[in-house]
Amino acid sequence: MKEGERPRIAVFAGPTATILNTAEVPREDGKEYLFDRPQRLALSAVLYVDAWSAHPLAFDARDLMKPPDGVLDHSGQFHPYPLDPDETWDLHDAVEVYRIELQAGDRLVSLPYRGGMRGVGIPVWGESGTWIGMTPAVPGERFLQSFFPDAERLYEEIDTFGIDSRGQTGMLSLQANFEFFRVLPPAGYQTEMAARQAGIAGTERRGKDYFPYLPRHLRAEPDSHGLVTVTNKVQEVLDTGRFIGAQWLEGSPTIEETLYWLNLVIDTTVPIVGHSAQRPHGTLGADGDRNIVDGVRYLVSGVWSDSEGRDQVGSVLIVDGGIFASRDVAKVASRPGGYRVTGISGGALGRFDHESGLPRLLVVPTTAHTFHSAVRISQFPDEVYGVQRVNGAIRTVKIKIRNTPRQLSNTARAAVEIVKFSRFSDDCCASSSVESWVTHALEHHPLAGLVAEGQNPFGWMAPSAETALRRAVFCGLPVVKCGRGNTEGVASNQEPWFIRGNDLTATKARILLMACLLRYGSLPPAVDPTKPDI
């Protein structure tokens, strides 16, 4: 970075992201309700603004304020200051004004929105009216998307309309420059014309190219191939060396999983911060905008840096004024403040100062991450062995993991399921989900495993489930044992064929086991999994 240049940050738009969602624009048949929304002028215009309308006491302080540009008389004609002493006209009902020139396309302006849907009396954007009884009211092709296709528009609106405690705007652009990337984004381009305008090759499909959660009957979730896409794109962008760090935007219920994956697998020395929102952008109390501003302050501040300028913290979630380690944080409620630390010591690493807005880092994790993680992408082999049932017998098969030393193959996909302990369940039920998963995995997923979420913190399952899990291990599927829920204790010592999940939640243990499968492959299967000691 040249002297005087603003640092550059990579911004990734991830799936089902409330932080990239906007409020709906209501309309009704036969009526027109005009609601203000950020829009651009198509034609340059001159506006005359009431000079004393910005604050109720502005007129009271008029002697301290910059003089207005002139007045508008009762006919709407503008007369600039100083007024012509020879001109005779009635100043009765004249309004002192500032004259503002706005250039076409120059900036966003909050204006009444006049768009509407043809022949459909429902909101233009949003969820209202989506369902009539139990039947979807509107098919996908008739529903306008409320999510942004990437974060560029979101950052522009924050920069234009967001105001800090000193009355300043430009809270993002004054700190850094940004480049925006779409990785499983929450919205897509459905028409050829729009795709071409956005530089997209061909139209995009919901559930393949983009992943919204509203309307609910059109919700889409990415599969394991999506994780390959995320890994390759983030690694490729950060390998350019052009960015001081990255921001990852995703839905609040799942961002903790993706961030922990990036923490384990991405081989980089720059920080990765994640942000989510509990309320859509532009609504009352929207929290996502501030989370993003805080994330930029964190990246620019360098508090994450060790003595060699490398990230010493790992990927973090920055929400609600807090800095959380991705390994040790979980969502617990759909409201601002709805995240809690997990594990023995908890993942609260720091916070943002109330007055200065600057980050304070109070704790540095000792767990391995990013450029010194044992399961980072550069440590993966080109191939590993998986297991598969062939003609009734379990065989080892080679699975390609990498195309290049820093790019995953499309076959680098690990499948790990979570099974949960529950008291007062019949013995046959406790083992059935394990047995069913093992059967399915041996047919369809050569790299597969299980996380057993047992009694807290011990990780114990029902006896029949323990037997089924042991059999899974000797079929080649590794099993991790964790405590149930948010465990603050370490799972007890397990039999040698099980892996202890320490203080990880089952969700985080699943992510780590998936990375380990890509790094080390499956376990070697026994000749007879029911009698492995023979």
Side-chain angles (χ1 to χ4, degrees), residues 245-263:
Q247 291 179 286
W248 178 268
L249 312 181
E250 189 178 331
S252 56
T254 55
I255 190 171
E256 64 194 68
E257 297 166 65
T258 309
L259 275 181
Y260 187 43
W261 175 266
L262 299 176
N263 185 72

Side-chain angles (χ1 to χ4, degrees), residues 228 380-386 397-404 407-413 446-447 518:
V228 175
F380 289 169
D382 292 337
E383 294 179 329
V384 298
Y385 282 99
V397 293
K398 282 187 177 181
I399 306 297
K400 186 176 182 181
I401 298 299
R402 298 189 306 184
N403 292 325
T404 72
Q407 288 283 290
L408 293 181
S409 163
N410 282 335
T411 56
R413 301 163 70 173
L447 296 175
L518 299 187

Side-chain angles (χ1 to χ4, degrees), residues 410-461:
N410 282 335
T411 56
R413 301 163 70 173
V416 176
E417 286 296 299
I418 300 172
V419 293
K420 195 179 184 82
F421 168 81
S422 56
R423 177 148 285 174
F424 304 117
S425 62
D426 292 334
D427 211 36
C428 59
C429 299
S431 61
S432 62
S433 60
V434 176
E435 294 168 349
S436 175
W437 168 246
V438 172
T439 299
H440 172 79
L442 290 174
E443 295 293 332
H444 302 284
H445 303 288
L447 296 175
L450 282 156
V451 173
E453 191 179 18
Q455 293 179 0
N456 195 359
F458 315 109
W460 299 338
M461 303 289 287

